[in-house]
Amino acid sequence: MLLFLSVPHPRPPGARTRAGATRVARWRRQRLRLQQLRRLRGLLRGLRRRPGAGSRRRGRMALCGQTAGAASLPSELIVHIFSFLPAPDRLRASASCSHWRECLFYPALWPQLRICLRVSPTEQPRLEFLMRKCGWFVRELRVEFFAENYLSGGGGPGEGGGADTRTGGDEVEALQLSSPWLEVLRTYLELVLCVLLSIRNNRNLQKFSLFGDISVLQQQGSLSNTYLSKVDPDGKKIKQIQQLFEEILSNSRQLKWLSCGFMLEIVTPTSLSSLSNSVANTMEHLSLLDNNIPGSSTLITAVELERFVSLRSLALDFCDFTAEMARVLTDSNHVPLQRLSLLVHNVSVMHKSLDNMPNDEHWKALSRKSTSLRVYIMAFDVKSEDMLKILKPSIPLERIHFDSYVTCVSGAIVDLISRQYDKFLTHFILMNDVIDTSGFPDLSDNRNEDPLVLLAWRCTKLSLLAIHGYTVWAHNLIAIARLRGSDLRVLEVTEESIDFDQGELADQDVDPVHNLIEQVSLGLSQPWHAVMDIESLSVFTEPNRHFYREMQSFSEDI
């Protein structure tokens, strides 16, 4: 009698149980990956080999064959290879064959897009291609629009053609009729539409940031309606953009970061109502800034802010941040706020009231709620009397930036800041672009001690000091370097802002400039030179752009 025994095939461990099904699947995936890696290793070995004359044809056939060719690699493996390459090399590698090109825009390779886009018709096809490929799946999208050479004179702001407050009536009239600027504004609206249309159905979007560099309209707020009426007479495009923005908010399911700065009436006071309660309750960063909001209107109210219970960072126009908002942020159901960025703009101060701003008790309550709260303030052309109202003693002020075209900062304001915020202040920036033939203002005028030296002495955490357009005496600059030493990581002063005493200039044995460089370098324990060109100053940008970028890094540094 013959006995037949059937020997079963070996099973992976745990295959008989339901709990082992997952382990079996994982084991099979690992085996598949191992096979793919072996194939890749064989391909790389063939590429490294240099066959002789007799075997050159066989080597060529092995590389071009389907079993070992680069085009035969699995898509997952190609995507894995691409993930180690920077974007330029990734684009070059995708040109090798159609299969690799198809793998270029795999969602895992583009989790985030950061685009700095020049407002030009030549950019539109490129933007449309990129957004068509990535807009439906990208998780983090940051777009900055900037315009250059958009005035009829050919120069941007600060190049003789900018529409600042010194512009006369004839120049304003010419600016209104500037056809190049109208074309740029028309292109700007088309580019914004392209971005919003591509992400309208993206439910994976987690971080969304928009910035529009339309600085002429920001400084001449009354001109915005004139331009828009010429470019968009019936208002259909602006309304379409506003509806698309609200549609994106209503479709979002994972949005944690929303930032919209100076986007020319794209955000309205009703935009945030499009967010569902679940998304609003989990939002961690909110930034809404627009100088074109008329009258007393605000982009967010205290009632709307009550839904954002998980906010860790917030950026608003200072006139929109009211005492009622401060009270809402101190409620027990709100997560402690850690970063607060406030823009104090002369346009907002002129059209809105400071009567509703938080008082010192509100700031004390906010600081008690969150001991790690830090505040960043940028003041643009704000009068000293208004700054005295704004700078409450209990503000945990870490960074402050003064930028002016008309109104200069007084020494009393600098002295007040050094006394009130000595425990928190790390960044102090003074920028002044006032054209004054009599020279730069001197903060130490009629004072026993220079306010900037006192600032360096009192503020022990000061790590960045940048000055342009204010007189800085050479001996005071040496004193600042010695007081702060290597803790002052950035000390930027333009050469035209530095002045010397008559005694230093009269000494024939010592070169005052060389001595200044040597003494400041010794004090800082690192090589130092005055900034020769204002454009090489790290903070030299259009004020709104600098605030937006500084706010982004300030909020991300939690």
Side-chain angles (χ1 to χ4, degrees), residues 150-191:
Y150 48 82
L151 299 179
S152 57
E159 296 180 2
D164 55 21
T165 53
R166 299 185 301 272
T167 305
D170 295 337
E171 293 174 332
V172 171
E173 183 65 21
L175 185 61
Q176 290 177 341
L177 300 177
S178 174
S179 58
W181 169 247
L182 294 177
E183 183 60 32
V184 167
L185 184 56
R186 189 178 294 108
T187 305
Y188 165 77
L189 295 178
E190 293 294 337
L191 295 178

Side-chain angles (χ1 to χ4, degrees), residues 73-368:
L73 292 175
S75 300
E76 293 80 3
L77 196 55
I78 297 174
V79 171
H80 185 66
I81 296 172
F82 279 176
S83 65
F84 294 98
L85 300 177
D89 293 341
R90 201 180 297 167
L91 293 172
R92 294 188 190 99
S94 66
S96 60
C97 64
S98 59
H99 182 44
W100 284 45
R101 192 157 50 249
E102 291 172 358
C103 298
L104 176 62
F105 290 102
Y106 196 80
L109 295 175
W110 305 94
Q112 62 180 10
L113 281 178
R114 299 189 178 186
I115 307 170
C116 190
L117 195 66
R118 184 168 55 90
V119 180
S120 170
T122 59
E123 297 289 344
Q124 189 167 351
R126 305 172 188 174
L127 180 66
E128 289 177 350
F129 172 80
L130 184 62
M131 297 309 299
R132 184 172 64 253
K133 291 289 187 180
C134 303
W136 60 277
F137 62 76
V138 66
R139 294 180 178 272
E140 177 183 340
L141 179 62
R142 179 184 296 183
V143 184
E144 294 185 23
F145 300 92
F146 71 95
E148 57 183 12
N149 297 329
Y150 48 82
L151 299 179
S152 57
E159 296 180 2
D164 55 21
T165 53
R166 299 185 301 272
T167 305
D170 295 337
E171 293 174 332
V172 171
E173 183 65 21
L175 185 61
Q176 290 177 341
L177 300 177
S178 174
S179 58
W181 169 247
L182 294 177
E183 183 60 32
V184 167
L185 184 56
R186 189 178 294 108
T187 305
Y188 165 77
L189 295 178
E190 293 294 337
L191 295 178
V192 174
L193 272 174
C194 174
V195 172
L196 298 183
L197 282 170
S198 65
I199 62 172
R200 63 191 303 180
N201 296 318
N202 186 343
R203 295 176 180 268
N204 298 320
L205 196 62
Q206 297 178 3
K207 297 182 71 173
F208 185 34
S209 300
L210 288 174
F211 173 80
D213 181 17
I214 311 296
S215 56
V216 171
L217 299 184
Q218 304 300 330
Q219 296 175 15
Q220 297 286 341
S222 60
L223 296 181
S224 59
N225 292 331
T226 304
Y227 280 114
L228 286 176
S229 62
K230 291 179 178 294
V231 174
D232 187 24
D234 49 6
K236 287 184 178 180
K237 281 190 178 180
I238 286 292
K239 189 173 182 179
Q240 183 185 4
I241 289 174
Q242 293 173 351
Q243 290 175 347
L244 280 172
F245 185 77
E246 294 178 1
E247 185 178 350
I248 292 169
L249 297 185
S250 63
N251 289 336
S252 63
R253 295 295 180 268
Q254 305 179 40
L255 196 61
K256 303 291 184 184
W257 179 293
L258 178 62
S259 178
C260 191
F262 315 107
M263 286 299 294
L264 191 60
E265 301 182 12
I266 288 178
V267 185
T268 65
T270 60
S271 295
L272 288 181
S273 60
S274 303
L275 281 171
S276 63
N277 287 331
S278 60
V279 174
N281 291 340
T282 57
M283 186 82 70
E284 297 179 358
H285 171 84
L286 182 63
S287 170
L288 298 176
L289 298 159
D290 194 344
N291 291 334
N292 284 316
I293 299 300
S296 59
S297 300
T298 59
L299 296 177
I300 184 172
T301 62
V303 176
E304 187 69 38
L305 190 62
E306 291 179 354
R307 297 200 298 156
F308 296 84
V309 295
S310 299
L311 276 185
R312 296 184 178 275
S313 60
L314 177 65
L316 293 173
D317 190 292
F318 184 86
C319 295
D320 294 343
F321 186 67
T322 62
E324 185 63 20
M325 283 189 178
R327 186 199 62 77
V328 169
L329 293 172
T330 56
D331 288 345
S332 58
N333 62 329
H334 274 256
V335 171
L337 191 70
Q338 297 188 32
R339 295 291 184 269
L340 178 60
S341 302
L342 299 171
L343 176 63
V344 192
H345 202 287
N346 65 327
V347 175
S348 298
V349 174
M350 283 191 299
H351 294 91
K352 299 179 182 179
S353 174
L354 293 175
D355 297 336
N356 297 324
M357 66 179 178
N359 57 31
D360 199 51
E361 293 300 321
H362 293 114
W363 286 110
K364 288 180 180 179
L366 275 173
S367 299
R368 286 193 299 267

Side-chain angles (χ1 to χ4, degrees), residues 27-43:
W27 175 72
R28 287 174 177 168
R29 285 197 301 268
Q30 290 174 352
R31 186 173 62 178
L32 178 62
R33 288 174 186 163
L34 183 60
Q35 293 174 353
Q36 292 174 348
L37 287 174
R38 285 174 178 169
R39 291 170 60 186
L40 177 61
R41 189 180 302 168
L43 173 64

